Amino acid sequence: MSTHISLLGGFKGAELIVGLTEAEAETRRRNGEANTAVKGGSRGYADILRTNVFSFFNIILFAIGVVLLVLGRYSDALVSVGLGLINAVISAAQEIRAKRKLDGLQLLDRAGVLVVRDDREIELPADRVVRGDLLRIRPGEQIVVDGPLVDGGLEADESLLTGESDPVVKQPGDELRSGSHCVAGDGHQLARDVGAHSYAGRLTAEARRASTDKTPLQRRIEFLVRLVMALTVLMSGAILGQAGIEGFSLLRVVQITAVLSGLVPYGLFFLIAVAYAAGAARIAKHGALVQQVNAVESVSNVDVVCTDKTGTLTTGRLTLEEIVPLEEGDPASILGCFACNVTIPNLTASALASALPGEEWKVRDEVPFASSLRWSGLVTEEGTWVLGAPDALGCPVPAEEITDRTRRGLRVLLLARGAEPGAALRDADGRAQLPALIPVGLVALADELRDDVVETVARLRADGVELKVLSGDDPRTVAAIAARAGVKNAGLDVAEPVAGADLDDLDDPALDAVVARTSVFGRVAPEHKERIVGSLRRQGRYVAMIGDGVNDARALKRAQVGVAMRSGSAVTRDVADIVLVNDSFAALPPAQREGRRIISGIGMSLYIFLARVVSQGLVILSVTLLGLGFPYSPTQVGLTLFTVGVPTFFLTMWAKPVPTDRNLLGNLARFVIPASIVTATFGTAIYATIYEAIVLGFGSGRTPAAVIAEFETYTGLKYESGTDFTTASATIAAQTGLSTFFCFVSFVLILFLAPPTRFFAAWTAPTPDRRPAVLVAALFVVFSAVLLVPALWSYFGLIAPAGPIFLLVNMAVILWFGALSAAFRLRLLDRVLGIDGLSG
């Protein structure tokens, strides 16, 4: 067996670079110790289909649909089951799409790596590396496993993992983490943790975990649907029990069940899906791509935004802020020439070159910038010039000049010249070495803020949204930049920033107190960001997390709304609910307004939906208890297309962005309960009046042939042996009057919710938007056409127009309007219950 690194051994000795043999590597691969890509993490396809398609509610609908199909009632089956099936397909498709994205996440790029095997270096795919391998790390390569650096020395860019922008110097014995990159130097690394056990593997598995939150509106609607379902089941038991006693046919029992199931407002889910899709399209125009559809609504509830610094508040570039001469002369011209002549420009050189003019020098030697040196230098015919951190150059510089600028979040560098003309920058062995230097000037650089950041922060604050900055950089630097961006309480004179290390030993209550009062957190790791977001959620805050690196992925998933930059890492984009395609979170306020508009529209739809459901339920219960038959047929339920479907669609699209109604359930009760009671009272009276009048008319001694002819004329149905024409004619006539009344009052309810004038403003103030009134007029015209066209009134299970019936309906509508207006204006529900309002 060949010699390889012991995890407890040292890091010196020639034997340490022998590595494993192929036989040893194959054994470890068979034992599951290979660096294989992380798999799984989200729900399986079968589980997704089962939970979405075969939910409790859908099973009921499917059972009813099967029975109706067997009995040949195809249109009834379509009306009763169609929307439920569509909802299930939409939900399953959305979750499958999300699953595919999550399953495809990989932090590592799986490129080939150099591995020491059998005393030689060979290139292998990353997933062929095993635990105990020795890997050769070279500049530009990604580190694919966790383990210590064995020999050599390098600089690792860990910004993808930690958010800290400066490369980290690694010496033998230091830890190298998978997912980081080697930017300079080289060496050998021992593969200690591989595959799912590595840092990148754990991050990938965590990112793949499905964690979609239901929005407040979704939870409220789910509660309402479950409540209506429970009441419908109780009512169905009583009505079907009575149907059994009266000896109803199987067809009639199934039809009754289909109508009762239609009381459940499952169309709301379809409406929400449509509203979310339309909202996502509108938000995309502002530069935000919605990947999780409920984020359209969820973003409207956000009251705190957590954001990274680099890549979100700042562009990642530097700008020249100030030059301070320390001797006679013009340091600006020297800085411009210095920046123009470096062969490997970094952020500092790029900022200086773009701000200052420079000319070409004849360079004799160059020491490029390195994190280990913290300076760079040029030897030219004009002299020796060095630019770097003041403390690294060892020149006497007034401390106050540096401290003042550092406190303002500026990066301060010192330009110095060699005390001797042409002084060398290397020792006899060719290693970088500083000569005696004379300070020439200080250079103050600032992180460049993204366009519109200040304006966006101000708009968010005006909307009541708090901002917190979570960064891997120095806390004081981050605080100064946040203050420039306009983040409240970010300045050092207002609130001290907190370092991530200070959070490690805090329990949840102590952490909550720190997070509540702090706006800036620096030197934070991914775990810290996740804990901060979790703390805000415990405090009842609705959190949006904005980030661009893998170090932000866990916090993005923990937040209610995860927002990623398009230029960020693929992992972060894939786990995000929203991607900012223009790399500017200026798109967030428009997205929030669009979300508020969606909620406003769906909220108005809820008023219409529930008023119809509760009113019909009360009518069904009342009419059945009076022994007057069942007041609806499944085909008549299709009229909800006019009373609910079309109105809610347009009202949702036309809604205005208003603040979220925190008392939605209470206000729904205050509207729905009076409207339902008044509507059900008049509806029951209409049904009973028409039913009894026709029964008495048919009992006046008319011939069977006349009764049959009149029945077939009214209903459009053919005679079937054994039919009780007296009861059947009375039932369908009463159903026609009841359905017409319900359609008319449903149209007028829209005018209560969006009153065009003070005459209709019993529930809310008049609106200048006249589109709802035009919609009501159009609905009246369309429904009148239904009543006048035989094919249409027959399709919906109605009878031909009859003067007495429609005279009664119109009188009832007028009386209903007066009664409901009085109930709303006098706030009768609040008076009866003795409260000022119901809490949501």
Side-chain angles (χ1 to χ4, degrees):
M1 179 179 294
S2 63
T3 304
H4 59 275
I5 297 297
S6 168
L7 298 185
L8 300 177
F11 299 98
K12 294 182 179 180
E15 74 279 10
L16 297 182
I17 61 170
V18 174
L20 300 176
T21 65
E22 282 293 342
E24 290 172 333
E26 183 61 30
T27 299
R28 297 192 179 202
R29 187 177 302 110
R30 288 196 301 267
N31 292 337
E33 297 182 88
N35 190 42
T36 53
V38 177
K39 298 180 180 179
S42 58
R43 291 205 300 165
Y45 292 108
D47 192 26
I48 292 173
L49 291 174
R50 178 182 58 80
T51 55
N52 284 281
V53 177
F54 298 104
S55 64
F56 172 74
F57 177 64
N58 282 343
I59 288 174
I60 295 175
L61 289 179
F62 295 159
I64 295 170
V66 169
V67 175
L68 287 171
L69 287 173
V70 170
L71 296 173
R73 310 291 293 193
Y74 303 116
S75 61
D76 292 352
L78 179 62
V79 171
S80 300
V81 182
L83 282 180
L85 183 60
I86 291 173
N87 293 335
V89 171
I90 290 175
S91 299
Q94 289 171 350
E95 190 166 351
I96 288 174
R97 174 176 173 270
K99 171 185 169 56
R100 287 177 175 173
K101 277 199 158 192
L102 292 177
D103 288 351
L105 289 180
Q106 286 295 340
L107 176 56
L108 303 180
D109 56 22
R110 320 312 299 178
V113 295
L114 284 180
V115 179
V116 179
R117 292 273 177 88
D118 293 325
D119 243 346
R120 60 192 180 90
E121 289 183 350
I122 60 174
E123 185 169 356
L124 294 175
D127 58 4
R128 301 287 291 177
V129 175
V130 299
R131 186 174 183 271
D133 263 328
L134 284 177
L135 282 71
R136 174 74 179 275
I137 309 298
R138 297 173 297 179
E141 292 184 344
Q142 187 180 44
I143 298 168
V144 298
V145 296
D146 292 351
L149 181 67
V150 176
D151 58 18
L154 54 83
E155 296 180 16
D157 178 3
E158 297 182 340
S159 59
L160 193 66
L161 307 177
T162 66
E164 189 169 352
S165 55
D166 294 330
V168 181
V169 177
K170 300 290 184 178
Q171 301 294 340
D174 291 342
E175 181 78 3
L176 298 180
R177 288 196 292 181
S178 51
S180 58
H181 286 79
C182 175
V183 295
D186 64 3
H188 289 88
Q189 178 199 15
L190 172 65
R192 187 192 63 232
D193 299 322
V194 298
H197 301 287
S198 67
Y199 187 76
R202 295 194 301 272
L203 275 180
T204 301
E206 181 68 20
R208 286 184 175 185
R209 178 176 53 84
S211 59
T212 301
D213 285 321
K214 290 183 178 178
T215 66
L217 184 61
Q218 286 176 317
R219 290 196 298 269
R220 289 169 178 170
I221 290 178
E222 187 175 85
F223 166 76
L224 291 172
V225 169
R226 291 182 181 273
L227 177 63
V228 173
M229 283 182 66
L231 296 176
T232 301
V233 169
L234 293 175
M235 186 171 63
S236 299
I239 294 175
L240 293 177
Q242 181 177 352
I245 294 174
E246 296 180 6
F248 282 7
S249 65
L250 176 61
L251 173 60
R252 188 61 176 150
V253 169
V254 173
Q255 287 177 328
I256 291 174
T257 305
V259 172
L260 291 172
S261 68
L263 292 178
V264 179
Y266 52 88
L268 281 174
F269 296 119
F270 181 72
L271 171 67
I272 290 175
V274 173
Y276 282 171
R282 293 188 182 185
I283 290 175
K285 296 178 181 179
H286 296 286
L289 174 64
V290 177
Q291 300 193 129
Q292 191 68 38
V293 290
N294 67 355
V296 172
E297 181 243 319
S298 192
V299 72
S300 68
N301 298 286
V302 169
D303 57 15
V304 58
V305 172
C306 297
T307 178
D308 192 11
K309 175 185 71 69
T310 305
T312 51
L313 293 181
T314 64
T315 62
R317 298 188 296 269
L318 298 175
T319 58
L320 178 61
E321 190 75 10
E322 185 181 8
I323 298 175
V324 181
L326 297 178
E327 67 174 10
E328 293 184 4
D330 182 16
S333 61
I334 302 299
L335 285 167
C337 294
F338 185 97
C340 290
N341 285 274
V342 295
T343 57
I344 307 177
N346 54 16
L347 291 177
T348 298
S350 298
L352 293 175
S354 63
L356 301 172
E359 59 186 32
E360 185 176 349
W361 282 344
K362 186 174 182 180
V363 178
R364 296 175 178 174
D365 190 18
E366 177 182 5
V367 175
F369 177 82
S371 299
S372 55
L373 297 176
R374 301 174 61 208
W375 58 268
S376 61
L378 296 174
V379 179
T380 70
E381 292 181 346
E382 288 76 12
T384 299
W385 306 97
V386 177
L387 180 66
D391 58 328
L393 301 190
C395 295
V397 179
E400 64 276 7
E401 296 284 356
I402 299 175
T403 303
D404 175 65
R405 290 165 177 81
T406 303
R407 185 179 294 114
R408 289 188 280 130
L410 301 177
R411 301 189 183 192
V412 180
L413 300 176
L414 174 63
L415 174 67
R417 59 182 174 85
E420 299 292 334
L425 294 175
R426 300 180 188 274
D427 61 16
D429 296 327
R431 290 173 298 192
Q433 176 180 282
L434 287 171
L437 298 173
I438 298 174
V440 174
L442 291 174
V443 183
L445 300 166
D447 285 278
E448 183 182 63
L449 291 177
R450 284 189 175 277
D451 294 338
D452 301 327
V453 160
V454 175
E455 179 184 353
T456 301
V457 170
R459 291 169 64 185
L460 289 172
R461 288 178 55 187
D463 289 338
V465 179
E466 183 182 356
L467 271 83
K468 294 183 182 293
V469 183
L470 320 179
S471 175
D473 286 339
D474 180 84
R476 291 182 177 273
T477 301
V478 178
I481 292 171
R484 288 170 52 205
V487 177
K488 187 178 181 181
N489 293 337
L492 300 181
D493 57 337
V494 180
E496 281 290 324
V498 173
D502 297 337
L503 307 177
D504 289 336
D505 297 327
L506 299 181
D507 58 13
D508 287 347
L511 177 66
D512 292 348
V514 172
V515 170
R517 68 171 182 262
T518 306
S519 298
V520 174
F521 298 85
R523 300 293 187 210
V524 291
E527 296 80 7
H528 296 135
K529 294 185 179 184
E530 187 178 22
R531 286 194 69 197
I532 291 170
V533 172
S535 171
L536 290 167
R537 294 193 61 164
R538 280 196 304 274
Q539 298 174 58
R541 309 298 296 274
Y542 209 92
V543 187
M545 174 68 198
I546 306 176
D548 63 343
V550 176
N551 61 306
D552 300 315
R554 292 172 61 173
L556 258 68
K557 292 184 69 66
R558 187 74 177 91
Q560 283 100 336
V561 184
V563 183
M565 297 292 187
R566 185 188 64 174
S567 61
S569 70
V571 170
T572 310
R573 291 197 305 272
D574 285 343
V575 303
D577 301 307
I578 296 174
V579 175
L580 303 179
V581 295
N582 295 323
D583 283 345
S584 171
F585 78 121
L588 205 57
Q592 188 172 54
R593 289 195 297 273
E594 180 63 24
R596 289 179 174 178
R597 192 191 63 77
I598 292 294
I599 290 182
S600 174
I602 294 176
M604 184 176 291
S605 301
L606 274 176
Y607 285 92
I608 298 175
F609 260 109
L610 292 180
R612 189 269 300 178
V613 167
V614 178
S615 299
Q616 286 189 331
L618 290 175
V619 168
I620 290 172
L621 188 61
S622 301
V623 170
T624 304
L625 292 178
L626 291 174
L628 301 179
F630 196 76
Y632 293 102
S633 71
T635 51
Q636 289 164 1
V637 175
L639 291 171
T640 57
L641 172 68
F642 305 109
T643 60
V644 176
V646 172
T648 54
F649 175 80
F650 284 104
L651 292 176
T652 300
M653 296 301 104
W654 295 339
K656 301 296 183 182
V658 297
T660 302
D661 185 0
R662 302 295 182 183
N663 192 29
L664 178 61
L665 293 182
N667 288 330
L668 276 171
R670 293 178 59 237
F671 180 88
V672 171
I673 292 176
S676 300
I677 291 176
V678 174
T679 303
T681 300
F682 279 92
T684 302
I686 290 172
Y687 188 92
T689 300
I690 297 174
Y691 186 93
E692 293 296 338
I694 293 180
V695 168
L696 292 176
F698 279 169
S700 60
R702 298 166 64 192
T703 65
V707 173
I708 291 173
E710 186 169 344
F711 172 76
E712 291 183 344
T713 299
Y714 279 167
T715 64
L717 304 174
K718 294 300 182 182
Y719 169 74
E720 295 179 8
S721 178
T723 303
D724 182 349
F725 284 105
T726 300
T727 302
S729 298
T731 298
I732 196 169
Q735 288 177 347
T736 298
L738 178 63
S739 296
T740 303
F741 171 76
F742 258 89
C743 286
F744 286 165
V745 299
S746 296
F747 301 157
V748 178
L749 275 180
I750 298 173
L751 300 180
F752 277 109
L753 294 169
T757 65
R758 294 185 60 85
F759 179 73
F760 295 97
W763 169 254
T764 188
T767 173
D769 189 355
R770 293 293 182 266
R771 289 176 297 182
V774 174
L775 174 64
V776 170
L779 289 171
F780 269 106
V781 172
V782 172
F783 183 69
S784 298
V786 171
L787 296 176
L788 295 175
V789 178
L792 293 178
W793 54 253
S794 176
Y795 174 81
F796 287 107
L798 305 176
I799 63 172
I805 292 178
F806 294 103
L807 179 61
L808 175 64
V809 167
N810 290 330
M811 292 178 58
V813 170
I814 295 173
L815 295 175
W816 167 88
F817 177 80
L820 188 56
S821 295
F824 284 153
R825 292 182 188 277
L826 298 176
R827 302 181 66 183
L828 291 183
L829 180 63
D830 291 356
R831 293 174 183 270
V832 170
L833 297 179
I835 56 176
D836 293 330
L838 299 173
S839 60

